C-alpha cells in the first residue's frame, strides 16, 4: 500500500453518493485495509491527485499511520498520526487525549534521522535507525521521537514534512492571508457546520483580542451576511474579516498618494517610494516590480497600478519590513581574520535548563547549531568504562557521552552555515581519557576537523571564515605553539593546567570567602595528552595576565577567556586597550558561575569592547538572547558579523566610553514613529481579558547610546491599537547600536506582562513606512 508514482487505473469506479460497507473484526487489519483502499478507490472529487496535494508522501500523511511514540527505553506507545486537510498541522490521538488530538504547526519543525537523540539511542538495539526519526521543535517545546512501522513509512513522513515546510516558506502573501483567515474561521466555527452565527462571532472577537461594541459588531455581521441567513459562510466571513481589519492607518497613507482613492498609478507609487520610503535608486523599475509582485488584480497590473490590497501586501511583506532585505543574505567581506568578526557563541551548550540540576542533552548542540551558533562549549570529565562524559561538573546535572556530542556536532555543524564551528573544550579529563577524546574527534569528524595550518607555512595572522569553510576548530590548551607544531618538536607535557575556562577559578578570585564553592569546585591541574594537544591549531587557550603582557608576548592564535565580571572591569579600566587587544586575537566572555539559573548578561557591553566569542545560555529566553539573535539575524544568519573598521585597525584607538573622540565621528538621530499594531496575542489567561498594549523602543550600544522610551498604553485593544507616538534618540556609535522593540501589556498595579519583541541592528533598518513582526 505504498503511494503510487502516478495515478493508478481504478479497479472500481464509485460515484460520490455511493458507499462501501466493510466489516473486519481485527482493528489493525481494518486500518491497513482501509489505508490500502484509499489508494485504489478514486472518486471524481478525490483530494489525492489534484494540484500541490498530489505529492505521494503527503498522500500517505493524509491517510495517517500508526507509529510508536518513544519517551524512554521503557515508555513506547502506539499512536495514530495524521496530517490534517489544511496541510499545516499534524495530530496524534491516544486514549489520554481522547477526541482532542494534539496539533503541531509544521512551520516550527526540524527533522533528524536515525538514532540521533538520547531517547532513540537508548532503544537502538530494538529498532533499526532507518525506521526512527525525531521532530525537533524550535523554542522550548520538547522533541518528539518516533518509530515507524517500516523504513519506507519513516522516509515518506520525513520527506513529506520537509515538503510541507518548504511549501510554507514559499507561500505568497495572499496565501498566507488566506491560510490565516481559514484558521480563525475554524476556531470560531464551534459546531463545525461551515457557518458562523453571531454568538460565534462574539467569541471570535475575544479570541482575536479585540473589545468591540456589540452593536457595532452586529452591524458588521449584518453587512457581511449577504445571503441574509443569519450566519456567515466562507466568502461572507472573508468580507467580515476585511471590514473588521480595515487598516485606517495604511488607508490614510494610500489615499494621500492616490488620485482617485482606489488605486496608485505607477507614478503615484514612485512618489510614495521617493517621499515616504526615502528611496533614491532606480525608483521607476522598483515600482514596476512591486506592482508585478504584490498586486493581486490582473486588471490593475495591466494598468500598471496598485490597489489598496496590493499596497497592504507590499507593506506586510519582507520587502516592506523594517529589516533591509539586502542585508538578509551574506553581504559582508568574509575574507578577513577570524578576530575581526563577532561570532555567535553558546555557553554550557549541553544544558537544556539550569546549571545545578538541569538536563544535559545533545539536543542543546543541535538547537544551537540550527540557530546559527558557531562556537559551542564542551565540558569534559572522566566517565565510566573509559568514555569521557559531558556535564556541568560538581553539580547534579545529567551526563552525556563526549562521543555523542561530537557526533551531533558533526551532523549539524554545517546545516545552517558553512562557516567554521569552534569547539570550546573545558578539559577536566585524565590523560587516558584525553586520548579517547582525541580519537573520537579524529574518527568522527574526519577531514572536517582542522588538524594543520592551511598552507603549510607559519602564518602571521588568523585565517578567515572563508578560508575555514566546512572546518571544525578545537579551542583548548595546547603544548607549544604553531611554530613548534610545524617543526614536530612537541612532546607530552609533564604538568600544567589543561583547562583555562573553569568558572571555579573566577568565582574563587572574585569571592575568596565562599568556602563551600571553593571546596566544591577546584581548578584541574594535570598533564595534557599530545593527541588532544595536536587537535588544537588556531585557538590555543591561554591565561590572561594583562594587556601590556599580551602586547609583548601573545600570539595571534592564542585565546583568552574572561568571566563577565572580569570583562566589565577591563572595559571600565582600559576600554581602548581591550578593543585594541581584540583587533589582534580572539577573546571569549562567558556568564558568571553564580548564574545558576542559566540567565544571561547583555552581550552588547562585551561587543563594545570588540570581544568576538560572547557566550550565552541559548536555552534561556530574554533580553540577552534577543539582542544576540538581533545582531546575528544579518549576513545570512551565518554566525559571523564583521566588526566596524575602527575595531579592526591596529593603529586606531577606539574607547567605547568616549566614542566622540574617534576619527570620523558622526552621530545620527533616530526618529521612530510607532503607528499601530495588529492582532497582538493575549497574555492573560482570563477569558475576558484584553491587552492594554504599549511599545518600548530600546537602544543598546556604547554607554552613551543606552536609552529607552515608551509610547502611551492603549486601553482594551490588542487587535488594532493605534498610537502615532514619535520617539527620538541620538546615537553616537551607530555602527554598534541595536534597536529593540518591546510590546507589553500595561498593568497599573503590577509589572507589565511581556507580549513580544523584535531586535535588529540599526545599520540594517530601512527608512520609511515599515513594519516589524513579533
Amino acid at each position: 500500500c505504498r503511494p503510487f508514482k502516478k495515478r493508478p487505473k481504478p479497479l472500481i469506479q464509485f460515484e460520490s453518493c455511493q458507499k462501501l460497507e466493510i466489516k473486519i473484526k481485527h482493528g489493525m487489519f481494518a486500518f491497513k485495509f482501509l489505508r490500502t483502499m484509499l489508494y485504489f478507490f478514486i472518486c471524481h472529487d478525490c483530494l489525492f491527485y489534484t494540484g500541490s496535494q498530489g505529492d505521494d508522501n503527503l498522500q500517505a500523511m493524509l491517510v495517517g499511520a500508526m507509529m510508536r511514540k518513544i519517551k524512554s527505553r521503557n515508555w513506547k506507545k502506539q499512536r495514530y498520526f495524521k496530517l490534517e486537510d489544511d496541510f499545516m498541522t499534524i495530530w496524534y490521538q491516544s486514549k489520554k487525549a481522547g477526541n482532542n488530538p494534539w496539533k503541531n504547526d509544521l512551520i516550527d519543525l526540524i527533522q533528524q534521522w536515525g538514532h540521533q537523540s538520547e531517547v532513540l539511542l537508548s532503544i537502538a538495539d530494538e529498532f533499526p535507525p532507518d525506521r526512527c526519526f525525531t521532530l525537533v521543535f524550535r523554542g522550548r517545546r520538547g522533541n518528539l521521537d518516533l518509530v515507524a512501522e517500516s523504513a519506507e513509512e519513516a522516509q515518506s513522513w520525513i520527506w513529506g514534512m520537509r515538503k510541507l515546510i518548504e511549501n510554507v516558506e514559499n507561500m505568497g502573501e495572499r496565501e498566507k492571508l488566506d491560510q490565516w483567515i481559514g484558521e480563525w474561521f475554524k476556531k470560531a466555527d464551534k459546531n463545525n457546520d461551515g457557518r458562523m452565527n453571531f454568538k460565534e462571532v462574539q467569541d471570535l472577537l475575544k479570541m482575536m483580542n479585540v473589545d468591540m461594541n456589540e452593536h457595532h459588531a452586529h452591524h458588521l455581521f449584518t453587512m457581511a451576511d449577504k445571503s441574509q441567513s443569519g450566519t456567515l459562510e466562507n466568502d461572507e466571513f472573508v468580507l467580515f474579516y476585511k471590514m473588521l481589519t480595515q487598516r485606517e492607518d495604511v488607508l490614510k497613507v494610500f489615499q494621500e498618494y492616490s488620485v482617485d482613492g482606489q488605486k496608485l498609478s505607477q507614478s503615484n507609487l514612485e512618489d510614495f517610494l521617493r517621499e515616504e520610503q526615502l528611496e533614491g535608486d532606480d525608483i521607476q523599475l522598483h515600482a514596476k516590480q512591486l506592482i508585478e509582485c504584490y498586486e493581486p488584480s490582473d486588471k490593475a497590473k495591466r494598468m500598471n497600478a496598485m490597489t489598496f490590497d496590493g499596497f497592504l501586501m507590499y507593506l506586510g511583506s519582507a520587502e516592506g519590513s523594517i529589516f533591509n532585505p539586502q542585508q538578509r543574505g551574506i553581504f559582508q567581506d568574509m575574507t578577513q581574520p577570524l578576530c575581526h568578526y563577532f561570532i555567535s557563541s553558546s555557553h554550557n551548550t549541553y544544558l537544556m535548563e539550569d546549571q545545578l540540576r538541569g538536563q544535559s542533552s545533545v539536543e542543546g548542540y543541535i538547537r544551537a547549531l540550527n540557530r546559527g551558533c558557531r562556537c559551542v562549549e564542551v565540558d569534559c570529565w572522566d566517565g565510566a568504562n573509559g568514555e569521557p562524559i559531558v556535564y556541568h561538573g560538581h553539580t547534579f546535572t545529567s551526563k552525556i557521552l563526549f562521543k555523542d556530542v561530537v557526533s551531533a556536532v558533526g551532523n549539524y555543524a554545517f546545516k545552517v552555515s558553512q562557516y567554521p564551528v569552534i569547539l570550546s573544550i573545558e578539559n577536566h579529563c585524565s590523560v587516558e581519557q584525553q586520548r579517547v577524546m582525541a580519537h573520537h574527534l579524529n574518527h568522527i569528524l574526519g577531514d572536517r576537523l582542522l588538524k594543520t595550518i592551511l598552507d603549510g607555512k607559519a602564518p602571521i595572522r588568523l585565517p578567515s571564515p572563508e578560508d575555514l569553510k566546512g572546518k571544525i576548530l578545537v579551542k583548548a590548551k595546547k603544548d607549544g605553539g604553531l611554530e613548534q607544531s610545524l617543526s614536530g618538536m612537541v612532546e607530552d607535557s609533564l604538568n600544567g593546567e589543561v583547562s583555562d575556562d573553569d568558572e571555579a577559578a573566577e568565582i574563587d578570585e572574585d569571592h575568596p570567602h565562599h568556602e563551600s564553592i571553593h571546596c566544591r569546585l577546584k581548578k584541574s591541574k594535570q598533564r595534557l595528552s599530545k593527541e588532544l594537544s595536536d587537535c588544537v591549531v588556531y585557538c590555543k587557550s591561554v591565561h590572561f595576565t594583562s594587556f601590556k603582557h599580551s602586547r609583548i608576548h601573545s600570539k595571534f592564535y592564542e585565546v583568552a577567556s574572561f568571566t563577565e565580571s572580569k570583562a566589565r572591569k577591563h572595559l571600565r579600566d582600559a576600554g581602548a586597550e581591550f578593543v585594541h587587544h581584540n583587533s589582534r586575537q580572539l577573546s571569549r566572555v562567558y556568564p558568571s558561575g553564580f548564574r545558576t539559573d542559566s540567565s544571561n548578561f547583555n552581550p552588547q557591553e562585551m561587543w563594545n569592547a570588540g570581544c568576538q566569542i560572547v557566550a550565552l545560555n541559548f536555552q534561556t529566553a530574554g533580553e540577552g538572547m534577543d539582542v544576540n539573535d538581533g545582531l546575528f539575524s544579518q549576513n545570512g544568519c551565518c554566525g559571523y558579523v564583521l566588526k566596524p573598521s575602527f575595531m579592526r585597525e591596529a593603529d586606531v584607538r577606539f574607547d567605547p566610553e568616549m566614542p566622540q573622540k574617534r576619527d570620523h565621528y558622526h552621530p545620527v538621530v533616530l526618529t521612530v514613529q510607532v503607528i499601530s499594531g495588529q492582532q497582538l496575542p493575549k497574555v492573560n489567561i482570563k477569558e475576558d481579558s484584553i491587552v492594554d498594549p504599549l511599545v518600548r523602543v530600546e537602544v543598546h550600544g556604547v554607554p552613551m547610546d543606552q536609552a529607552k522610551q515608551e509610547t502611551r498604553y492603549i486601553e482594551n485593544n490588542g487587535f488594532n491599537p493605534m498610537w502615532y507616538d514619535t520617539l527620538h534618540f541620538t546615537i553616537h556609535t551607530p555602527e554598534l547600536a541595536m534597536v529593540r522593540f518591546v510590546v507589553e501589556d500595561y498593568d497599573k498595579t503590577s509589572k507589565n506582562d511581556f507580549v513580544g519583541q523584535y531586535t535588529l541592528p540599526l545599520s540594517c533598518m530601512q527608512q520609511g513606512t515599515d513594519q516589524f513582526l513579533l
Side-chain angles (χ1 to χ4, degrees):
C1 57
R2 286 190 197 173
F4 293 101
K5 296 297 181 185
K6 58 183 180 179
R7 178 172 177 162
K9 183 178 180 181
L11 300 178
I12 307 171
Q13 185 73 45
F14 287 93
E15 298 299 329
S16 296
C17 58
Q18 289 183 298
K19 292 193 301 184
L20 178 68
E21 187 173 322
I22 303 171
K23 292 183 180 179
I24 301 177
K25 291 183 178 180
H26 195 287
M28 182 55 69
F29 285 127
F31 168 74
K32 290 185 176 180
F33 178 78
L34 288 173
R35 182 172 64 177
T36 304
M37 298 295 279
L38 280 168
Y39 287 120
F40 279 90
F41 296 139
I42 310 298
C43 65
H44 73 278
D45 58 354
C46 181
L47 280 173
F48 291 153
Y49 296 96
T50 61
S52 63
Q53 298 164 351
D55 183 275
D56 294 340
N57 299 313
L58 299 188
Q59 293 174 26
M61 293 175 69
L62 283 166
V63 175
M66 294 295 293
M67 291 188 278
R68 287 179 175 86
K69 180 185 176 186
I70 313 293
K71 284 189 176 181
S72 68
R73 185 171 180 83
N74 298 320
W75 198 103
K76 301 181 284 285
K77 303 289 185 181
Q78 287 273 9
R79 297 288 184 261
Y80 176 57
F81 291 80
K82 183 181 183 297
L83 172 67
E84 289 206 333
D85 293 341
D86 63 1
F87 286 82
M88 289 288 288
T89 55
I90 58 174
W91 61 261
Y92 74 82
Q93 196 164 24
S94 65
K95 292 179 180 178
K96 184 177 179 181
N99 295 323
N100 298 301
W102 177 56
K103 298 183 180 182
N104 298 297
D105 191 339
L106 291 175
I107 300 174
D108 291 336
L109 291 178
I110 308 167
Q111 309 86 23
Q112 67 184 62
W113 291 87
H115 299 147
Q116 293 190 31
S117 70
E118 284 99 338
V119 171
L120 291 179
L121 281 169
S122 72
I123 50 94
D125 57 336
E126 292 185 61
F127 303 103
D130 58 4
R131 289 173 54 190
C132 302
F133 61 99
T134 301
L135 307 184
V136 182
F137 297 92
R138 294 192 181 101
R140 302 179 69 86
R141 185 185 295 172
N143 299 339
L144 187 61
D145 292 295
L146 300 172
V147 179
E149 292 294 309
S150 67
E152 292 82 4
E153 195 164 64
Q155 184 180 45
S156 181
W157 273 75
I158 285 290
W159 287 109
M161 285 186 290
R162 289 182 176 176
K163 177 68 174 177
L164 290 171
I165 294 171
E166 179 185 342
N167 289 345
V168 170
E169 290 174 346
N170 293 330
M171 266 189 183
E173 296 303 315
R174 170 65 71 178
E175 292 172 300
K176 290 178 183 177
L177 180 61
D178 290 345
Q179 182 73 40
W180 190 86
I181 294 174
E183 288 173 3
W184 278 114
F185 188 91
K186 284 185 177 181
K187 290 177 183 178
D189 185 17
K190 295 291 180 63
N191 57 6
N192 296 316
D193 63 353
R195 300 171 181 271
M196 191 166 60
N197 59 39
F198 185 63
K199 173 63 169 64
E200 290 172 324
V201 166
Q202 288 178 301
D203 293 340
L204 170 66
L205 294 180
K206 289 181 180 177
M207 286 192 288
M208 296 176 87
N209 212 1
V210 59
D211 183 18
M212 182 177 285
N213 177 275
E214 183 175 341
H215 176 75
H216 181 59
H218 192 270
H219 175 66
L220 294 181
F221 180 91
T222 304
M223 290 178 63
D225 183 15
K226 298 295 185 183
S227 63
Q228 297 183 352
S229 63
T231 59
L232 301 182
E233 298 183 29
N234 285 332
D235 291 343
E236 293 171 334
F237 177 72
V238 171
L239 177 60
F240 172 76
Y241 169 80
K242 284 190 173 182
M243 289 190 292
L244 186 69
T245 58
Q246 180 68 42
R247 293 290 302 271
E248 297 295 337
D249 50 341
V250 180
L251 184 61
K252 179 181 176 182
V253 176
F254 180 83
Q255 290 179 338
E256 282 181 13
Y257 289 89
S258 172
V259 175
D260 60 4
Q262 301 298 313
K263 63 183 180 300
L264 294 175
S265 66
Q266 182 173 324
S267 176
N268 297 152
L269 184 56
E270 290 171 14
D271 290 341
F272 169 78
L273 295 175
R274 186 180 299 106
E275 296 174 26
E276 295 287 342
Q277 306 297 67
L278 305 179
E279 295 186 14
D281 298 330
D282 207 351
I283 290 180
Q284 187 175 6
L285 176 61
H286 190 204
K288 191 174 183 65
Q289 291 172 339
L290 291 179
I291 293 171
E292 186 62 33
C293 184
Y294 297 106
E295 176 51 50
S297 167
D298 291 335
K299 181 180 178 180
K301 281 184 180 179
R302 288 193 295 270
M303 298 169 61
N304 281 336
M306 179 177 278
T307 63
F308 183 63
D309 282 345
F311 190 64
L312 270 176
M313 287 187 182
Y314 155 55
L315 289 182
S317 71
E319 199 162 358
S321 167
I322 195 171
F323 199 113
N324 189 340
Q326 295 180 357
Q327 291 169 305
R328 288 254 181 224
I330 295 174
F331 68 96
Q332 295 179 337
D333 178 7
M334 302 303 289
T335 63
Q336 301 203 27
L338 279 183
C339 57
H340 288 181
Y341 297 84
F342 297 122
I343 304 172
S344 180
S345 307
S346 167
H347 174 247
N348 287 351
T349 315
Y350 47 89
L351 286 180
M352 304 294 286
E353 300 167 26
D354 67 78
Q355 319 229 355
L356 292 181
R357 298 178 180 274
Q359 177 192 3
S360 300
S361 172
V362 296
E363 303 301 339
Y365 293 91
I366 295 170
R367 293 184 184 206
L369 292 167
N370 279 327
R371 290 175 69 175
C373 180
R374 298 288 87 190
C375 180
V376 296
E377 185 180 15
V378 191
D379 205 347
C380 305
W381 301 79
D382 282 351
N385 303 316
E387 284 290 345
I389 57 174
V390 175
Y391 83 113
H392 200 226
H394 308 295
T395 67
F396 296 103
T397 59
S398 60
K399 303 171 177 64
I400 54 178
L401 293 175
F402 175 77
K403 64 180 179 182
D404 291 342
V405 169
V406 177
S407 293
V409 172
N411 289 328
Y412 286 89
F414 306 111
K415 295 280 188 184
V416 171
S417 169
Q418 287 299 305
Y419 291 108
V421 168
I422 300 171
L423 282 180
S424 180
I425 293 182
E426 188 172 315
N427 177 15
H428 304 273
C429 292
S430 62
V431 172
E432 292 74 16
Q433 294 211 9
Q434 289 177 46
R435 292 186 178 122
V436 176
M437 290 168 59
H439 169 76
H440 289 323
L441 289 168
N442 283 281
H443 178 71
I444 296 171
L445 300 180
D447 292 341
R448 290 169 294 179
L449 178 67
L450 187 75
K451 291 290 298 292
T452 60
I453 58 175
L454 294 179
D455 57 5
K457 300 178 182 178
I460 58 174
R461 69 174 200 172
L462 287 169
S464 70
E466 191 69 30
D467 296 331
L468 294 167
K469 265 187 171 180
K471 292 296 183 181
I472 297 173
L473 286 66
V474 173
K475 172 194 162 298
K477 280 288 188 177
K478 180 178 180 65
D479 283 330
L482 291 183
E483 301 80 7
Q484 292 89 334
S485 297
L486 285 170
S487 65
M489 299 296 291
V490 179
E491 299 180 357
D492 280 17
S493 65
L494 298 177
N495 51 54
E497 299 172 359
V498 299
S499 173
D500 194 60
D501 294 347
D502 194 354
E503 295 164 19
E506 298 287 0
I507 293 173
D508 289 344
E509 288 177 27
D510 291 345
H511 305 272
H513 301 299
H514 283 254
E515 294 298 332
S516 60
I517 297 175
H518 183 82
C519 293
R520 184 162 50 86
L521 300 173
K522 294 181 179 179
K523 191 166 185 176
S524 55
K525 294 185 179 182
Q526 54 199 50
R527 294 176 58 198
L528 175 65
S529 79
K530 182 178 185 300
E531 293 84 351
L532 187 58
S533 174
D534 288 345
C535 293
V536 179
V537 182
Y538 292 115
C539 297
K540 176 183 177 180
S541 293
V542 298
H543 182 73
F544 179 79
T545 303
S546 68
F547 292 123
K548 181 179 180 181
H549 181 272
S550 293
R551 278 199 312 275
I552 299 171
H553 301 288
S554 67
K555 307 291 186 181
F556 66 87
Y557 52 80
E558 294 177 342
V559 185
S561 291
F562 307 86
T563 190
E564 59 176 290
S565 58
K566 286 295 180 65
R568 285 194 194 95
K569 185 177 186 302
H570 291 311
L571 188 53
R572 286 193 305 268
D573 296 345
E577 282 291 313
F578 207 171
V579 173
H580 186 251
H581 171 88
N582 289 324
S583 69
R584 305 188 313 270
Q585 58 196 96
L586 293 168
S587 290
R588 178 175 180 267
V589 182
Y590 57 95
S592 164
F594 286 106
R595 292 183 180 269
T596 56
D597 60 350
S598 292
S599 60
N600 285 312
F601 56 86
N602 190 321
Q604 183 69 54
E605 54 187 334
M606 309 309 168
W607 297 331
N608 292 341
C611 298
Q612 303 88 349
I613 304 175
V614 181
L616 299 182
N617 292 299
F618 268 49
Q619 75 274 28
T620 305
E623 181 183 280
M625 277 309 301
D626 293 343
V627 175
N628 191 79
D629 290 341
L631 177 72
F632 292 105
S633 61
Q634 63 182 309
N635 205 35
C637 298
C638 73
Y640 286 84
V641 170
L642 188 65
K643 294 196 289 187
S645 60
F646 55 79
M647 298 184 116
R648 308 193 306 260
E649 298 165 2
D651 57 345
V652 174
R653 287 293 187 272
F654 169 71
D655 187 344
E657 294 287 339
M658 292 180 286
Q660 69 275 23
K661 291 190 175 181
R662 70 181 173 96
D663 293 338
H664 310 295
Y665 165 68
H666 296 295
V668 301
V669 174
L670 171 66
T671 300
V672 177
Q673 185 182 46
V674 182
I675 299 174
S676 65
Q678 299 292 314
Q679 291 102 41
L680 301 178
K682 294 178 71 168
V683 293
N684 195 309
I685 60 175
K686 294 179 181 178
E687 186 176 339
D688 59 348
S689 174
I690 303 295
V691 171
D692 302 325
L694 62 81
V695 179
R696 183 172 64 255
V697 179
E698 304 172 353
V699 176
H700 298 264
V702 297
M704 285 183 68
D705 291 341
Q706 298 285 347
K708 57 182 67 174
Q709 297 180 42
E710 292 181 351
T711 67
R712 59 203 162 87
Y713 72 91
I714 305 296
E715 190 170 357
N716 282 346
N717 189 353
F719 185 69
N720 57 355
M722 298 180 69
W723 292 276
Y724 282 99
D725 288 355
T726 302
L727 314 174
H728 300 279
F729 302 88
T730 298
I731 301 178
H732 302 272
T733 312
E735 299 89 341
L736 286 172
M738 304 288 296
V739 182
R740 182 172 182 249
F741 299 87
V742 184
V743 180
E744 292 182 342
D745 180 12
Y746 173 77
D747 194 318
K748 64 180 69 175
T749 60
S750 62
K751 183 179 178 181
N752 293 346
D753 290 320
F754 175 81
V755 176
Q757 70 85 37
Y758 183 77
T759 306
L760 77 165
L762 176 68
S763 60
C764 293
M765 289 177 67
Q766 290 198 101
Q767 299 184 89
T769 302
D770 301 318
Q771 56 88 26
F772 64 88
L773 300 175
L774 294 175

